[in-house]
Amino acid sequence: MRLRSHVGASRVHRWLALTIGVQLLLWFASGLIMSVLPIDRVRGEHLVERISPATLGQAQSRAPLDLVLRAATKPVREVRYRPLLGREVAEVELVDGTVMLHDAETAKVISPLNAAVARAVAVQAYRGTAAQTSVRPVSAASTEYKGMLPAWRVDFADSDATHVYVAQNSGRIVAVRNGTWRLYDFFWGLHIMDWKNHENFNTPWLMGFAAGGLALAIAGSALLYFRWPRKRRRKG
């Protein structure tokens, strides 16, 4: 019985190693690379200042809040006042998550923002030295960006091929993509075995190979038990 168990565990371990061995190497390699890459560089924090501290003017005249609420098409969850390119705006968030921008002084709706405003927002936050930029609209999710839509993508001609995504409704920088992020995202897709969208952590491939990896570890532990050297008792 012991010999049969030993042979069975050896066969299971051998075939599982041949079947999922490559993916195990990809898991270890991708995990190592993702842990080595600095997360602040992945997020592009060294290139773009997403949130800059600013103080609202106390003496600035603001439209009555009733005018701002009256312009909303749905019930309002929150109203936030903040600066945007030297002017004060009221950011209105509706209950369905939609965001609208109003001029704080006149209560006039100013969103969606145009390409010139998006470029100015991205250039103001950019820390690099690239002077050439291009702007293009984003109306659908992609592998690189799955955030708030519609948005503007501002491309900087630097060595990192930096893309700054600015939401058209809020004027906020919602994503920064660069070379480090693309390298991280590539290995992330290999790690979770979602080679197309790089976001589904519950793929059948991942669950199947994870179960195979667990069986491989159990079979290996059994082999370790069977092959561990034991001291023989001396006969009297």
Side-chain angles (χ1 to χ4, degrees):
M1 180 62 68
R2 179 184 177 85
L3 180 60
R4 290 179 181 178
S5 300
H6 189 174
V7 173
S10 179
R11 290 177 178 175
V12 170
H13 191 268
R14 183 188 311 118
W15 284 108
L16 283 175
L18 292 175
T19 305
I20 67 174
V22 174
Q23 182 58 39
L24 287 177
L25 292 177
L26 289 177
W27 277 339
F28 295 142
S30 59
L32 174 62
I33 292 174
M34 288 189 296
S35 63
V36 168
L37 293 176
I39 193 62
D40 57 335
R41 297 189 69 87
V42 174
R43 295 172 178 169
E45 296 177 0
H46 65 296
L47 293 171
V48 177
E49 179 66 38
R50 302 196 191 198
I51 302 176
S52 56
T55 304
L56 297 178
Q58 298 297 326
Q60 184 174 349
S61 61
R62 299 185 180 92
L65 186 59
D66 291 344
L67 293 180
V68 177
L69 298 177
R70 201 177 303 165
T73 57
K74 296 180 180 180
V76 175
R77 174 181 297 167
E78 186 176 1
V79 178
R80 298 178 289 267
Y81 288 90
R82 64 181 178 90
L84 177 65
L85 299 177
R87 65 190 294 189
E88 189 173 321
V89 297
E91 185 179 278
V92 179
E93 182 180 352
L94 306 180
V95 292
D96 61 355
T98 304
V99 175
M100 299 174 59
L101 282 186
H102 299 252
D103 187 281
E105 187 174 353
T106 64
K108 180 182 178 181
V109 178
I110 59 176
S111 58
L113 303 176
N114 57 32
V117 175
R119 183 197 300 268
V121 169
V123 170
Q124 185 183 61
Y126 185 63
R127 293 176 174 178
T129 58
Q132 185 178 358
T133 61
S134 61
V135 185
R136 64 183 64 185
V138 179
S139 57
S142 62
T143 303
E144 182 173 282
Y145 177 71
K146 303 179 181 67
M148 187 179 298
L149 295 171
W152 294 102
R153 195 185 88 181
V154 184
D155 300 345
F156 289 88
D158 55 13
S159 58
D160 282 327
T162 304
H163 296 167
V164 179
Y165 290 86
V166 180
Q168 292 186 19
N169 290 335
S170 66
R172 292 183 181 271
I173 295 176
V174 289
V176 179
R177 303 292 183 249
N178 55 28
T180 307
W181 181 91
R182 296 182 188 97
L183 180 64
Y184 185 98
D185 184 65
F186 172 76
F187 284 103
W188 171 251
L190 294 179
H191 197 76
I192 66 173
M193 301 185 74
D194 182 7
W195 305 285
K196 182 179 180 181
N197 297 319
H198 300 183
E199 64 176 357
N200 186 5
F201 200 77
N202 302 107
T203 60
W205 287 104
L206 180 61
M207 291 185 285
F209 275 78
L214 178 61
L216 180 66
I218 294 174
S221 300
L223 286 179
L224 182 64
Y225 170 76
F226 289 129
R227 296 179 181 180
W228 192 265
R230 293 176 174 80
K231 293 182 179 180
R232 297 181 178 179
R233 294 182 180 181
R234 295 181 179 179
K235 295 182 179 180

